[in-house]
Amino acid sequence: MIQNLLRSLPSVDELLREPELQSLYRNFSSRIVKDSVRKTLNLLREEILSGRLKNLSRRDVLSRIREDLEGLFTRGLKPVVNASGTVIHTHLGRAPLAQDAVDALMRASGGPVSLEIELEDGSRGERDSHCEELIVRLTGCESACIVNNNAAAVLLTLNSLARGREVIISRGELIEIGGSFRLPEIMERSGCILKEVGTTNRTHLHDYMDAIGDNTALLLKVHKSNYTIRGFTKEVSLSELVALGRSRGIPVVEDLGSGSLVDLSRYGLKKEPVVSESIREGVDVVTFSADKLLGGPQAGIIAGKREFVERIRQNPLKRALRVDKLTISALEATLKLYLNPEGLEKKLPILRYLTRPVEEIEENARRIKHILSARLGRGFRIEVEEGTSVVGSGALPDYLLPTRVITITHPGMGAERIFKHFLHSNPPVLGRVERERFILDARTIEPTHIEHIGPLTHG
Ligand SMILES: *Cc1c(COP(=O)(O)O)cnc(C)c1O
C-alpha cells in the first residue's frame, strides 16, 4: 500500500505542466514554483513512508503546492490585537506609535528626505541632528546620539569609553533583560573588564571607592528595570556616584532602561526614573530605549556631556549601529509631542493606555462582552471581572494597574483552545490564560478590533 501510494505521486515535470498551477506563475518565478513542487513531493513522500498519509489524490498534491506558495504571502508580519494585559509588549513590537509619528514615517518612507544634508547650503549634515536638538531641550543634556536600541547604546558607550579597561558596577545591578541581553556579556563584548562590587542586596559607596584603581574607566549604574530587591538593602544613589566620580576624575554612566522623559506621577502612575533628573544630578552619559515608556520607535538614545558623546559618535561601531530615516522620522515626531506634555496622555498611545480610567475600561469591557456574546456561539460564559495589567518591557516591575478583563469560558472547551481560536482569528487577538481561564484585558482593546471574531463551535 505504501509502495502504491509512492508510485501514485506525480513527477516534478508532470506537475509543472499541470494547467491548474499555471496561474501561480503570476506571483512566483518558475524557480520558486519548481522548488515548491520538489519540497511538497518530498514532504508527501515522508508522510507516506511514516504511515501518516493513507490516501492521496492528484488534487491533494496540487492544493498542497498551492498552499505552500500562497502561504508565502499570507504568513508573515500581521497586525495583532494586544489583549494580553502587558501594555508595552516586546513580542508585539513594544510601543504603538502616536499618529504624528505614523504620519512622519509615511512621509519619510516613500521618497528622499533631508537625512544628512543641510538644507541651508547643501553641505553634509548629521543624521542624528534632527533628534539631538529635541533631546537636548527635553533633557538638559549637552549632546545626544541615536543607535538601534538601548542594548546597542550600552554596547557602544562602553566600547567607546572603556575598551580594555575596568568598569565598576554593583552586583545588585548585573541585570538580564529578556531576549538574552545580559549585562556581563554585553560588557565583555564591548571589550571592557567587568569589576563587580558589593553584594546582591547591599552595595556601599566604599565598595566603589575600594575598587577604583589605575585601570578604572567608568562607574556604571544600571536601573533595575525588571526586578526589585527588597528587605535588607543598600544602594548607592546616582548623585553619590557622581560625586565620587568627580573627585577621582572618572566618568559615570547610567543605563536607565526605560528612561521616561516626563515624571509619570503627574499622570497618576508610579514614578520611573526621568532622564532630565539624571542629567541634572551630573551623570556624564545616560542611555535609554525609545520604544519603552517614551512611546517611540525602536531606538537607543545616548545623552550626556558633549566630550563623551563626541567620543561615542566617533567610534567606527556607531556606523554599524546607526538608525535609518524611518526610525529618525518617527522618533523626531514622538519627541516633538513632549515639547508640550499638556495632553500628552491623549496623543501618545502608551500613555493613553496606561492612564485609561478604570470606568472607561469597564465600559469598554462591557461593549466587548456584548459583541462577543453575539459572535462566539452557544455555550460560552462571558463575564467582565476585575483584573490587573502590567506595564511590561522592563518598566515599573511589580506595579499592577487595576483593569477590567473579559473572561471567556465554556464547559466543554479548554482555555488553551479558546486562546488559540482568538489567536487564529483575523486580526489575531492575543489574550492570556490565567487560572485555567481565557481572559482579554480591555485596557488595550478597541471594540472594533474584535468585531470579526468568528464563531467557535464545540468539537
Ligand atoms: C530594556 C533595557 C535594556 C535593553 O534595551 P533595548 O531597547 O531592549 O535594547 C537595557 N538596559 C535596561 C536597564 C533595560 O531596561
Side-chain angles (χ1 to χ4, degrees), residues 94 149-151 175 177 181 222-223 225 255 257 289 292 394:
R94 292 198 183 156
N149 51 29
N150 189 34
I175 59 163
I177 306 281
F181 176 90
V222 178
H223 176 52
S225 48
D255 172 14
S289 298
K292 291 182 180 173

mmCIF file of all heavy atoms in Angstrom, residues 94 149-151 175 177 181 222-223 225 255 257 289 292 394, ligand 1:
data_model
loop_
_atom_site.group_PDB
_atom_site.id
_atom_site.type_symbol
_atom_site.label_atom_id
_atom_site.label_comp_id
_atom_site.label_asym_id
_atom_site.label_seq_id
_atom_site.Cartn_x
_atom_site.Cartn_y
_atom_site.Cartn_z
ATOM 1 N N ARG A 94 6.504 46.361 21.072
ATOM 2 C CA ARG A 94 6.520 47.442 22.064
ATOM 3 C C ARG A 94 5.550 48.578 21.743
ATOM 4 O O ARG A 94 4.433 48.334 21.376
ATOM 5 C CB ARG A 94 7.953 47.960 22.259
ATOM 6 C CG ARG A 94 8.820 46.901 22.938
ATOM 7 C CD ARG A 94 10.067 47.504 23.528
ATOM 8 N NE ARG A 94 10.916 46.478 24.122
ATOM 9 C CZ ARG A 94 12.210 46.601 24.304
ATOM 10 N NH1 ARG A 94 12.837 47.701 23.944
ATOM 11 N NH2 ARG A 94 12.893 45.623 24.864
ATOM 12 N N ASN A 149 19.041 50.334 19.371
ATOM 13 C CA ASN A 149 18.226 50.086 20.560
ATOM 14 C C ASN A 149 19.101 50.363 21.781
ATOM 15 O O ASN A 149 20.275 50.712 21.635
ATOM 16 C CB ASN A 149 17.663 48.653 20.575
ATOM 17 C CG ASN A 149 18.738 47.609 20.345
ATOM 18 O OD1 ASN A 149 19.899 47.820 20.684
ATOM 19 N ND2 ASN A 149 18.359 46.484 19.786
ATOM 20 N N ASN A 150 18.545 50.190 22.954
ATOM 21 C CA ASN A 150 19.312 50.523 24.152
ATOM 22 C C ASN A 150 20.459 49.551 24.381
ATOM 23 O O ASN A 150 21.487 49.919 24.929
ATOM 24 C CB ASN A 150 18.375 50.597 25.358
ATOM 25 C CG ASN A 150 19.071 51.143 26.581
ATOM 26 O OD1 ASN A 150 19.941 52.000 26.470
ATOM 27 N ND2 ASN A 150 18.721 50.619 27.739
ATOM 28 N N ALA A 151 20.272 48.300 23.964
ATOM 29 C CA ALA A 151 21.374 47.338 24.090
ATOM 30 C C ALA A 151 22.574 47.849 23.293
ATOM 31 O O ALA A 151 23.718 47.813 23.762
ATOM 32 C CB ALA A 151 20.935 45.969 23.585
ATOM 33 N N ILE A 175 22.042 42.959 35.518
ATOM 34 C CA ILE A 175 20.723 42.522 35.071
ATOM 35 C C ILE A 175 20.748 41.612 33.858
ATOM 36 O O ILE A 175 21.698 41.584 33.086
ATOM 37 C CB ILE A 175 19.849 43.742 34.686
ATOM 38 C CG1 ILE A 175 20.548 44.541 33.567
ATOM 39 C CG2 ILE A 175 19.590 44.610 35.878
ATOM 40 C CD1 ILE A 175 19.629 45.478 32.856
ATOM 41 N N ILE A 177 17.919 41.181 30.745
ATOM 42 C CA ILE A 177 16.651 41.600 30.157
ATOM 43 C C ILE A 177 16.255 40.481 29.208
ATOM 44 O O ILE A 177 17.119 39.794 28.687
ATOM 45 C CB ILE A 177 16.846 42.895 29.337
ATOM 46 C CG1 ILE A 177 17.502 43.986 30.177
ATOM 47 C CG2 ILE A 177 15.562 43.403 28.755
ATOM 48 C CD1 ILE A 177 16.613 44.706 31.121
ATOM 49 N N PHE A 181 19.703 39.797 26.670
ATOM 50 C CA PHE A 181 20.554 40.928 26.994
ATOM 51 C C PHE A 181 21.009 40.714 28.430
ATOM 52 O O PHE A 181 20.246 40.869 29.376
ATOM 53 C CB PHE A 181 19.784 42.253 26.891
ATOM 54 C CG PHE A 181 20.594 43.468 27.320
ATOM 55 C CD1 PHE A 181 21.346 44.172 26.403
ATOM 56 C CD2 PHE A 181 20.597 43.892 28.643
ATOM 57 C CE1 PHE A 181 22.085 45.282 26.805
ATOM 58 C CE2 PHE A 181 21.334 45.004 29.045
ATOM 59 C CZ PHE A 181 22.081 45.696 28.119
ATOM 60 N N VAL A 222 23.096 50.830 36.686
ATOM 61 C CA VAL A 222 22.068 50.267 35.807
ATOM 62 C C VAL A 222 20.743 50.248 36.548
ATOM 63 O O VAL A 222 20.668 49.784 37.692
ATOM 64 C CB VAL A 222 22.455 48.835 35.365
ATOM 65 C CG1 VAL A 222 21.362 48.240 34.495
ATOM 66 C CG2 VAL A 222 23.773 48.853 34.604
ATOM 67 N N HIS A 223 19.725 50.748 35.890
ATOM 68 C CA HIS A 223 18.400 50.776 36.506
ATOM 69 C C HIS A 223 17.839 49.365 36.601
ATOM 70 O O HIS A 223 17.845 48.628 35.623
ATOM 71 C CB HIS A 223 17.473 51.668 35.676
ATOM 72 C CG HIS A 223 16.069 51.677 36.166
ATOM 73 N ND1 HIS A 223 15.754 51.943 37.485
ATOM 74 C CD2 HIS A 223 14.901 51.442 35.537
ATOM 75 C CE1 HIS A 223 14.444 51.873 37.630
ATOM 76 N NE2 HIS A 223 13.902 51.569 36.466
ATOM 77 N N SER A 225 15.359 47.527 36.019
ATOM 78 C CA SER A 225 14.100 47.823 35.342
ATOM 79 C C SER A 225 13.088 46.702 35.431
ATOM 80 O O SER A 225 11.897 46.943 35.357
ATOM 81 C CB SER A 225 14.374 48.201 33.892
ATOM 82 O OG SER A 225 15.229 47.273 33.302
ATOM 83 N N ASP A 255 22.701 53.371 32.757
ATOM 84 C CA ASP A 255 21.767 52.734 31.820
ATOM 85 C C ASP A 255 20.403 52.791 32.481
ATOM 86 O O ASP A 255 20.121 52.073 33.425
ATOM 87 C CB ASP A 255 22.198 51.280 31.572
ATOM 88 C CG ASP A 255 21.155 50.509 30.767
ATOM 89 O OD1 ASP A 255 20.263 51.155 30.184
ATOM 90 O OD2 ASP A 255 21.241 49.269 30.725
ATOM 91 N N GLY A 257 17.473 52.174 31.062
ATOM 92 C CA GLY A 257 16.472 51.230 30.548
ATOM 93 C C GLY A 257 15.333 51.974 29.893
ATOM 94 O O GLY A 257 15.439 52.475 28.793
ATOM 95 N N SER A 289 15.914 53.475 26.181
ATOM 96 C CA SER A 289 15.196 52.993 24.996
ATOM 97 C C SER A 289 14.190 54.030 24.526
ATOM 98 O O SER A 289 13.582 54.721 25.342
ATOM 99 C CB SER A 289 14.396 51.717 25.317
ATOM 100 O OG SER A 289 15.229 50.683 25.704
ATOM 101 N N LYS A 292 10.175 52.064 24.830
ATOM 102 C CA LYS A 292 9.523 51.617 26.069
ATOM 103 C C LYS A 292 8.575 52.745 26.503
ATOM 104 O O LYS A 292 7.699 53.123 25.736
ATOM 105 C CB LYS A 292 10.576 51.277 27.117
ATOM 106 C CG LYS A 292 11.375 50.010 26.753
ATOM 107 C CD LYS A 292 12.370 49.671 27.842
ATOM 108 C CE LYS A 292 13.166 48.423 27.501
ATOM 109 N NZ LYS A 292 14.246 48.204 28.484
ATOM 110 N N GLY A 394 10.222 45.723 30.848
ATOM 111 C CA GLY A 394 11.197 46.221 31.804
ATOM 112 C C GLY A 394 10.923 47.645 32.232
ATOM 113 O O GLY A 394 11.815 48.478 32.240
HETATM 114 C C1 LIG B 1 15.290 47.314 28.235
HETATM 115 C C2 LIG B 1 16.627 47.552 28.815
HETATM 116 C C3 LIG B 1 17.773 47.379 28.046
HETATM 117 C C4 LIG B 1 17.704 46.948 26.619
HETATM 118 O O1 LIG B 1 17.069 47.910 25.847
HETATM 119 P P1 LIG B 1 16.531 47.553 24.373
HETATM 120 O O2 LIG B 1 15.939 48.829 23.902
HETATM 121 O O3 LIG B 1 15.552 46.452 24.555
HETATM 122 O O4 LIG B 1 17.708 47.124 23.589
HETATM 123 C C5 LIG B 1 18.988 47.632 28.622
HETATM 124 N N1 LIG B 1 19.084 48.003 29.907
HETATM 125 C C6 LIG B 1 17.992 48.174 30.687
HETATM 126 C C7 LIG B 1 18.179 48.609 32.122
HETATM 127 C C8 LIG B 1 16.729 47.956 30.165
HETATM 128 O O5 LIG B 1 15.641 48.111 30.930
#
